[in-house]
Amino acid sequence: MNIAVVDSGVANVGSVVNMLKRIGVRAHAVDVPSALESADAIILPGVGHFDAGMKHLRERGLVEALEDRVLGRRVPILGICLGMQLLTRSSEEGAAAGLSWLDAETQRLDPGIASGLLVPHMGWNETIGSDEDLFGRFEGTPRFYYVHSYHVVCRAQSDVAAVCMYGTKVTAAVRHRNIFGCQFHPEKSHRYGMKFLEAFVGLASGAKCSA
């Protein structure tokens, strides 16, 4: 299997590539449309500002190439952190339109004053997965590493694959046909992150992502 890790201009793609190699998957960073042609699956990582991520993708012609692969040819994609937020229609962080592949918006994280929790949500957090294909292989409740100030709010609850609590319920992962996303950083989540990526790779190489 060949996985393309898209350089969104606002992420350290090297750490994602290295984690995939640790689980025995061939992966390479890409920043030009032609490099997506041979990809069996795509990962879109990101940190930082929503508008900056979309601007980089558009300027490099990657939006059209991604739409062809993901929407046209149904190649599985996994958005990580900001990468998951870019899959939504828009973000309260900026004015740019998102990819709009998910019927969802990205909103400012508000844990509530009474919780005493700070934004950004930073650190390890237990994550409750409802999608057995992605989270069924974990023994007990997995813990992933988070760093974010915004979160994805899905209009369809069926698109929510996992949640975590941070003063309020936060969408931790999404799944819609061949489109996947996680708010946490699997590349920073050690053995939990490795198992999650293994689950995504297993789905991407099978037929379940088109259901």
Side-chain angles (χ1 to χ4, degrees):
M1 175 169 241
N2 180 30
I3 295 185
V5 182
V6 178
D7 183 357
S8 61
V10 285
N12 179 12
V13 299
S15 58
V16 178
V17 170
N18 288 338
M19 181 63 93
L20 288 166
K21 289 180 177 178
R22 286 184 65 187
I23 63 173
V25 177
R26 188 173 65 160
H28 60 283
V30 304
D31 61 359
V32 293
S34 58
L36 292 171
E37 281 296 319
S38 61
D40 300 308
I42 300 167
I43 293 183
L44 177 63
V47 294
H49 199 278
F50 187 94
D51 284 8
M54 287 305 305
K55 182 173 184 287
H56 182 87
L57 293 179
R58 294 193 189 284
E59 286 181 344
R60 290 186 172 269
L62 287 165
V63 171
E64 293 80 4
L66 286 167
E67 286 177 344
D68 173 70
R69 299 297 291 170
V70 176
L71 302 184
R73 307 188 198 183
R74 292 291 180 91
V75 172
I77 187 169
L78 171 67
I80 295 176
C81 196
L82 176 64
M84 180 171 89
Q85 297 172 11
L86 296 179
L87 304 176
T88 68
R89 298 184 182 281
S90 62
S91 173
E92 291 182 348
E93 186 178 23
L99 293 169
S100 300
W101 298 348
L102 290 174
D103 188 9
E105 288 79 33
T106 299
Q107 299 179 5
R108 173 77 178 177
L109 184 61
D110 182 11
I113 295 175
S115 72
L117 298 171
L118 301 177
V119 175
H121 170 204
M122 183 181 300
W124 294 85
N125 202 338
E126 291 189 343
T127 301
I128 310 299
S130 56
D131 189 300
E132 283 296 312
D133 293 328
L134 288 171
F135 295 95
R137 64 178 61 199
F138 291 99
E139 295 180 4
T141 304
R143 299 172 68 248
F144 295 99
Y145 189 82
Y146 293 79
V147 183
H148 65 114
S149 299
Y150 293 81
H151 67 120
V152 170
V153 179
C154 294
R155 294 186 181 181
Q157 186 61 33
S158 58
D159 288 343
V160 178
V163 299
C164 70
M165 292 301 300
Y166 193 71
T168 186
K169 187 180 289 186
V170 175
T171 299
V174 295
R175 178 183 182 182
H176 180 75
R177 296 180 179 172
N178 58 314
I179 298 168
F180 301 80
C182 58
Q183 187 59 66
F184 51 82
H185 287 271
E187 77 280 9
K188 297 180 180 180
S189 298
H190 308 308
R191 61 188 177 91
Y192 297 112
M194 291 176 71
K195 280 197 172 187
F196 177 80
L197 289 174
E198 286 171 350
F200 168 71
V201 170
L203 286 170
S205 61
K208 289 188 176 180
C209 19
S210 59

